[in-house]
Every structure is written in structure tokens, then in C-alpha cells.
Amino acid sequence: MKKIRVLFPFAGWADLGGSHVSALKLASCLDRDQFEPFVLCHNEAGSVGQYAQSLGLNVEVLQGPRLMGPPNNKTDADVGFPEYWTRTYGQLVRFLRDKKPDIVHTNEGRLHVNWVFPARRLGIKHIWHHRQDPSAVGVNYVAPVFSNRILSVSYFSKPSRPIRSVDKKFQVIRSPFDLSIQRPDPDAARRMILNEIGAPENAVLLGYFGHLEPRKRPVHFVQSLVAIQKQFGDRPVHGLLFGKVLNPDDGLDSGSMDVAREHGLSAQIHLMGFRQDVEKCMVAMDATLVPALNEPFGRTLIEAMHLGLPVVATRHGGNIEAIDHGKTGFLVDPQDPEAFVEPVVSLIEDPSLRQQVTQAAYQYVQDNFGLDKHVAEVSDVYRELVS
């Protein structure tokens, strides 16, 4: 039987993120008797290529073609629409003619638009794996016409105003997670964090896990912590923000600290930065707060649920699809910072409730987010498209 060749192109200069991890784990786990995956990195291998190679994947670096960039994230190396069509498009067509993939599976906003046109030109199937806002221009105006399938991490992310109906090509396949990760010792992890931030034994530790970017609303997290502290009186509540600042011009790190200082809590808000030991950091917390808006389907929620950390998230975006309110976590008013107070207090003061919620959340993750399930569902899509 002829193997199905699948090309996964990436921007080699990009920081390794959740979408890269999901796509590359998928590629590495495809049945090699049926599929032949190969990875392409534009300009350099970078952290994405290195991670792919660590999974045993073949990686090729493509020098030369300059890509179109999205309006809100252009780089100095990007080209405009005219130069793309006069130069880049032809170079990508020649690459596809040489490599002869059956499917081009793109996973990044910049790569979707650059690869969908040459794939269409040659009759190669294209999969647009959408992990962004439902109002994004490309998935509404390009994918409905030129892609063969739109895969998404949530129903929330379905194109909100497509130029033509996508009902026959849109499909939700949940992102895969490594469920083999063992839970670190929570007591040891808690002691580590308490020592690091200089907090007392009775401190309430609330975590924010994710980049400091507008959509994830770190300032709203601090505002919620201010309201929670009022309910605990003399017992200190500490907020720990784990993640790097994506754009210093947004001022979200300084804005978060400004709110803390305004309420006399600057010593209780900690900008922890990016951490490699994120599992230890997670299990050290009493709960994680997810104040994000328009989050397609946050990996943080599922990772926390797998590790036994209770989640309180805004009733918005893909959060609604990830959490069964009152059973596997809690959903709150996205506009009211004080809405986080009641569920957090209940989880801290009622150990039986915490145990009930975390056990239900853990089982939900085991049943729905394993890598094997993800690979099987995407493999079915590949076979269907090529047949």
C-alpha cells in the first residue's frame, strides 16, 4: 500500500509553542506503515526543528522563500502580497512538485495562507489546523474556498463569518496531551515555591499560567486576587504569574504590579517568568485562575486538570467546552473579577469539594485528551482526504 506523505511546514524562527508540540507529536506518532510525515522549517531549524528532531522526525530547512506575514505580526523578512505572487508562490510550487506530498498540514497563522495556494494549484490536499480566534481573516476568507479541511481545537473557534459555508469541511479534534507525565510531589513543590517567594506556610497560592498577553488578561487576574484577599482577612493570598511577556509595549507586567501596589499587595504578586519545571509549579498551587477572553482552547486548563489542580476560568471561549461547571471545575462571569471569589474560597475551605472536582477533572482528561485518540482521529481525516 502506498504511504500517505504529509508535509508539516513551520516558521523556523518561531518560539516553540503549544501548537508546535501538538502537531509534531502527532507527526511522530503516525503509523509508519501508512504515513510518511516530514517537517519543513523556513530559514532555520530553530527550537521547532530541534524539537521535531528529538521526536525522530526528518527535518528539512528551506532557505529563500520569503513569506507573507499577518498584519498584526509582521517581521522585517516578510513580503507583501505582490512579491508573494511574483516570487514566493512559484518557489513553494516548485518545492511541492519536487517533494510530492499528498497532504500539506499547516498549524500556524502565517503558514496557512502561504502554503494553501500552491497546494491548491497542484491538487494537493490542504488541512488548515485552526487554533486561533473565530474572526481571524484567513480562516474566514481563504480557508473556506481553498482548504480541503478545517480542523479546530474547539467549536468556539469555528469561523464566525466565512465567505462560504464551512459546515462540510469544519471538524473539531481536541489537542493531544502527554498523559504519561507523573504528578510531582505537591508537598515538596509547595515548600519549594513558599521558600522562593518568602511566603508563610498558611499562604493561599493562586497561579496564572500562560504568556502575559492581552487575551489572557493578567491584570484581571491581579484584580481577582485583590477581591479574594478581602475574603481571607489576615491569611495572605499570593498570586504567581508563570509566563513570559510577549510584547513589552503592552505593559501588562507593569500594569499588573500597578494594580497590586494600588491595593497594598505588591509583595503578594510575583512575576515568575517562563519556567521549565511548570508541573512542579502547578501542583504547588491551591488553584489556577484562567481570566482569558476568546481563548480557543487553552492547554493550561487540561494540563492543570491532569495534574490534580482545580481550575476556575471565565465562562467564555473554549473554556466552556473544557469545563463542566461545578463538576470538573468552575466557570465565572468574565467581566467581574469578584466572580472568582466564591469558587476559590469553596475550594480552599472544603477539602472534600476539592477532591471531588479534581478527581472528576482527571478522569475527564484521561477519557478525552490522550495522544492516541488525537492521532487516530487525524489519521482518519488523512485517509478520507486522500481516498
Side-chain angles (χ1 to χ4, degrees):
M1 182 178 69
K2 179 181 178 296
K3 294 182 181 180
I4 298 173
R5 287 173 55 80
V6 186
L7 169 65
F8 294 86
F10 297 96
W13 62 87
D15 291 334
L16 185 69
S19 63
H20 303 116
V21 172
S22 295
L24 292 171
K25 283 190 174 180
L26 160 70
S28 68
C29 292
L30 291 171
D31 183 353
R32 291 302 193 275
D33 290 334
Q34 301 182 57
F35 305 102
E36 184 182 346
F38 62 107
V39 174
L40 170 74
C41 289
H42 282 273
N43 297 344
E44 59 180 289
S47 59
V48 176
Q50 292 169 11
Y51 181 69
Q53 289 170 335
S54 75
L55 296 175
L57 292 165
N58 294 324
V59 177
E60 180 171 342
V61 176
L62 180 61
Q63 301 283 358
R66 299 177 64 192
L67 303 179
M68 288 188 294
N72 61 343
N73 190 27
K74 283 187 176 295
T75 71
D76 293 339
D78 288 334
V79 298
F81 202 61
E83 187 175 344
Y84 169 81
W85 284 106
T86 56
R87 299 190 62 184
T88 303
Y89 171 75
Q91 292 172 310
L92 299 183
V93 166
R94 287 192 290 274
F95 179 88
L96 291 177
R97 279 179 173 152
D98 179 50
K99 300 300 180 180
K100 297 180 174 59
D102 299 292
I103 296 171
V104 176
H105 187 163
T106 54
N107 292 270
E108 299 174 276
R110 184 187 308 272
L111 277 297
H112 295 316
V113 174
N114 281 275
W115 281 95
V116 68
F117 298 119
R120 178 76 175 213
R121 161 75 180 277
L122 298 177
I124 296 169
K125 304 300 183 182
H126 179 264
I127 294 176
W128 187 300
H129 209 136
H130 184 59
R131 298 177 171 89
Q132 298 171 312
D133 193 285
S135 64
V137 173
V139 80
N140 282 279
Y141 290 94
V142 179
V145 178
F146 296 99
S147 290
N148 299 93
R149 189 63 55 89
I150 302 171
L151 300 184
S152 182
V153 294
S154 67
Y155 293 98
F156 168 76
S157 292
K158 184 177 181 179
S160 59
R161 45 189 177 88
I163 194 170
R164 66 166 61 165
S165 174
V166 296
D167 290 346
K168 293 183 178 180
K169 62 173 62 178
F170 177 84
Q171 183 174 347
V172 172
I173 296 181
R174 303 298 188 190
S175 295
F177 292 82
D178 185 357
L179 304 184
S180 66
I181 295 176
Q182 297 299 308
R183 188 186 188 210
D185 179 5
D187 293 331
R190 181 178 175 85
R191 287 193 299 271
M192 176 190 76
I193 292 294
L194 289 176
N195 289 335
E196 187 172 337
I197 65 175
E201 289 285 336
N202 71 333
V204 175
L205 303 181
L206 302 177
Y208 166 106
F209 294 90
H211 296 316
L212 274 65
E213 59 176 310
R215 186 179 72 191
K216 296 184 183 294
R217 301 201 300 172
V219 174
H220 195 88
F221 169 81
V222 177
Q223 293 169 337
S224 301
L225 186 127
V226 171
I228 294 167
Q229 178 62 83
K230 293 177 181 177
Q231 295 298 312
F232 280 96
D234 294 335
R235 184 178 180 184
V237 179
H238 286 253
L240 297 88
L241 294 93
F242 295 91
K244 67 179 183 179
V245 178
L246 278 191
N247 183 1
D249 293 338
D250 290 334
L252 294 176
D253 48 351
S254 58
S256 298
M257 296 308 301
D258 288 343
V259 172
R261 276 191 292 271
E262 179 184 345
H263 294 274
L265 297 178
S266 57
Q268 292 169 230
I269 298 297
H270 311 274
L271 302 176
M272 308 297 289
F274 174 78
R275 299 283 291 251
Q276 293 285 356
D277 58 346
V278 66
E279 290 86 9
K280 284 186 179 179
C281 298
M282 275 192 169
V283 300
M285 301 295 108
D286 292 299
T288 181
L289 309 188
V290 183
L293 292 180
N294 297 314
E295 188 81 345
F297 201 84
R299 294 184 64 86
T300 296
L301 280 74
I302 306 305
E303 291 165 349
M305 294 160 77
H306 172 62
L307 291 170
L309 175 63
V311 178
V312 184
T314 50
R315 187 179 289 106
H316 203 272
N319 296 345
I320 299 170
E321 298 174 43
I323 293 177
D324 187 353
H325 178 66
K327 295 182 179 179
T328 60
F330 293 92
L331 296 168
V332 301
D333 183 346
Q335 304 304 330
D336 183 9
E338 296 188 2
F340 284 90
V341 174
E342 182 179 349
V344 169
V345 171
S346 298
L347 287 166
I348 301 298
E349 296 185 347
D350 186 350
S352 63
L353 173 65
R354 178 189 175 94
Q355 183 178 23
Q356 176 184 333
V357 168
T358 54
Q359 286 181 347
Y362 177 83
Q363 191 59 53
Y364 167 70
V365 170
Q366 300 303 306
D367 293 342
N368 292 279
F369 297 98
L371 180 58
D372 290 346
K373 179 179 174 67
H374 178 83
V375 172
E377 291 178 346
V378 177
S379 296
D380 286 342
V381 172
Y382 289 164
R383 285 188 287 263
E384 178 188 341
L385 289 179
V386 172
S387 67

